[in-house]
Amino acid sequence: MIRKSQLVNALFVLGFPVFGFGSYYGLKTGISKGMMIMSAPFAAIIVFYLIDALYRKRLGNLLTSTWLVCMLYIGTLAASMFVALRHGIPGVQMGNVLLSCLVFFAPFNAAVVVVFYNRGDPSFRFSDLLFTGLGALLALNILGYLGGVQSVGHSFEGRANFPFIRGIYTGAHVLAVWAMMLLFKFGAPGRKPVANALAVLALLVALFFMVKINSRLSFMIFLALFVLFATKAIKAIRGLYTISLFTMPLLLSSSLLVYQVLSQPFFVSILQRVSKEDVTTFNGRSYIWNAVGDWALYDRTGILLGNGYKGHYALGMLDFLAILWDEPHAYNLHTHATVTEVLVGQGILGVVLLYMVFWRGFKFYRREYLEGTSLSPIFGGLAYLLFIWQLDIFCYGTDIGHAILFCMMAPLCLKPESKAAPE
């Protein structure tokens, strides 16, 4: 007989490769169809819980304030879609707005349900479940890539373009998060040699595809964090969260230093494309970030509550880049960082809420890491997200980084007494 926890666990793991396939299917046949597929396993978990809760009368005050903070942030994200609908942003229609909201809310709440159903099982490891789900997503993409399936998302000729994912850099980020969690699978030398050998092989495969994807920023951040975790120097570092707040300004102000580092023979041989213009402007991202900075300093239209999804288009903020990059419309562009996209679309309110989410997650998982609990591996993945959300769109909206981040928050969302024992 299948237990309820086994059913929701299986759906949760399945949710990540299905999310990836839905991204591919949506780009190929229609975004609305894709979003229905992306959210289906997670939505099924929630529907199953709601039916079970009504039957078992399990409604109660089990949720923490962290769940509320997460829901408030996702609520501002959903509201930004309706603002875009009101502004008449091209391509934004009521159907895909509602489906986008489902993609925003479903993975997070499904993860909370998974934790709820497993709360009485002392052998349950949420980090293993998340790790397995991301591994299944990567396996699907690697098999698809090796099988010749062509990516229909953002891609570059001659590089590893994973097909079942939103874009080429999304693949690099998922690999980095997974590899940071994989680091915790290594045992002491001499113990479990087969398991250690398999972990080394998996890590080499992940590194190989990171290099093939050739994302300079993600590789630099991954490498720095991987060394800190591998040497356990991360235990002695104080203020990591505070440092992460200044990731973008630090990079912009030290672009020449970044170029000097990346132009060393080791990085040139790995990353290949190390031109001064590309590196110092971060492949043109600095033009976008400076435009957002100018708006925040001198214009500030909608800065408190935001200008809605694709708010930059409503403000004409990136029109000059559409001309420069020969794009037909500025709404095809985004601000290339989750923090700037949230600031423009959801305002200071959205940014503050997301900072609160990251702070609560960082504080919780750092404690778990120092205590060596089963949730420790998530700290490695979260540390990567802590920096990359300031430099890429990965953690925004319907991209899978948003789902990964909020799934990581699920163990914080139930009160300890609700996890202590089953009913």
Side-chain angles (χ1 to χ4, degrees):
M1 183 177 178
I2 299 176
R3 296 171 57 190
K4 295 173 187 177
S5 59
Q6 292 174 326
L7 176 61
V8 297
N9 292 355
L11 284 171
F12 183 73
V13 170
L14 183 66
F16 291 96
V18 170
F19 193 109
F21 177 77
S23 300
Y24 169 81
Y25 191 80
L27 290 169
K28 196 163 187 177
T29 65
I31 190 66
S32 295
K33 296 176 183 177
M35 286 192 287
M36 284 189 282
I37 295 173
M38 289 160 65
S39 57
F42 299 116
I45 292 173
I46 296 169
V47 171
F48 175 81
Y49 167 74
L50 291 174
I51 295 172
D52 189 42
L54 288 173
Y55 181 74
R56 297 286 182 178
K57 297 182 180 180
R58 287 182 175 176
L59 301 177
N61 187 23
L62 305 176
L63 300 169
T64 67
S65 60
T66 298
W67 179 84
L68 180 60
V69 171
C70 291
M71 289 294 284
L72 284 173
Y73 167 76
I74 300 174
T76 66
L77 181 59
S80 74
M81 297 298 298
F82 287 96
V83 174
L85 187 65
R86 188 185 67 192
H87 286 168
I89 302 296
V92 178
Q93 301 170 357
M94 181 57 77
N96 56 37
V97 165
L98 294 175
L99 287 169
S100 294
C101 292
L102 180 61
V103 175
F104 300 157
F105 283 102
F108 167 57
N109 286 288
V112 174
V113 170
V114 167
V115 175
F116 173 78
Y117 274 114
N118 289 276
R119 69 199 186 286
D121 183 359
S123 65
F124 174 67
R125 295 170 63 95
F126 180 74
S127 60
D128 284 352
L129 210 62
L130 181 60
F131 179 78
T132 304
L134 295 179
L137 171 64
L138 290 171
L140 175 68
N141 275 282
I142 290 171
L143 290 173
Y145 171 73
L146 296 177
V149 180
Q150 296 297 310
S151 171
V152 290
H154 182 227
S155 59
F156 294 100
E157 188 177 351
R159 290 154 71 178
N161 299 291
F162 284 169
F164 303 115
I165 215 156
R166 185 170 182 174
I168 185 169
Y169 296 131
T170 299
H173 301 320
V174 175
L175 280 166
V177 171
W178 187 79
M180 291 299 300
M181 296 179 70
L182 174 66
L183 184 58
F184 291 80
K185 299 296 181 182
F186 288 89
R191 297 181 61 188
K192 298 183 178 179
V194 175
N196 281 342
L198 290 174
V200 169
L201 179 61
L203 179 60
L204 290 175
V205 171
L207 289 172
F208 171 79
F209 280 103
M210 279 189 215
V211 172
K212 286 285 288 180
I213 289 172
N214 205 231
S215 172
R216 294 167 299 199
L217 284 177
S218 66
F219 190 76
M220 282 176 57
I221 291 171
F222 165 77
L223 199 59
L225 289 171
F226 188 84
V227 170
L228 289 175
F229 274 88
T231 60
K232 301 191 184 302
I234 194 73
K235 291 184 176 182
I237 291 180
R238 294 291 183 270
L240 187 69
Y241 177 83
T242 305
I243 294 169
S244 75
L245 302 183
F246 302 97
T247 305
M248 185 183 291
L250 284 171
L251 272 181
L252 288 173
S253 61
S254 58
S255 57
L256 287 174
L257 176 61
V258 173
Y259 171 69
Q260 291 298 324
V261 172
L262 291 180
S263 60
Q264 297 303 308
F266 170 75
F267 286 105
V268 170
S269 63
I270 293 176
L271 301 176
Q272 299 172 2
R273 49 189 193 98
V274 189
S275 73
K276 188 173 183 179
E277 172 68 18
D278 270 0
V279 172
T280 55
T281 65
F282 302 102
N283 203 25
R285 288 177 175 85
S286 64
Y287 303 138
I288 297 174
W289 297 338
N290 286 329
V292 175
D294 289 341
W295 162 76
L297 286 173
Y298 306 114
D299 185 341
R300 296 189 290 277
T301 300
I303 197 167
L304 290 178
L305 300 178
N307 299 281
Y309 173 71
K310 296 288 185 182
H312 66 80
Y313 178 74
L315 297 172
M317 187 187 298
L318 303 181
D319 288 350
F320 75 101
L321 279 178
I323 297 170
L324 181 65
W325 290 348
D326 198 27
E327 289 280 351
H329 305 286
Y331 65 78
N332 291 330
L333 304 175
H334 55 71
T335 59
H336 269 287
T338 303
V339 65
T340 51
E341 199 76 9
V342 172
L343 180 62
V344 174
Q346 297 154 248
I348 291 175
L349 174 63
V351 172
V352 169
L353 286 170
L354 193 50
Y355 273 129
M356 290 173 65
V357 170
F358 269 107
W359 168 243
R360 290 184 178 221
F362 173 78
K363 186 171 63 170
F364 175 83
Y365 282 114
R366 187 175 189 277
R367 184 172 65 248
E368 297 294 308
Y369 171 71
L370 293 176
E371 294 176 359
T373 73
S374 65
L375 290 170
S376 297
I378 297 180
F379 184 54
L382 184 70
Y384 177 82
L385 295 182
L386 199 62
F387 288 89
I388 208 62
W389 82 284
Q390 305 236 347
L391 302 173
D392 198 77
I393 203 75
F394 179 59
C395 295
Y396 179 76
T398 56
D399 209 327
I400 197 167
H402 171 90
I404 293 170
L405 169 62
F406 283 92
C407 285
M408 288 178 172
M409 298 302 295
L412 289 71
C413 293
L414 289 179
K415 293 177 181 177
E417 59 266 27
S418 72
K419 295 184 287 185
E423 294 181 1

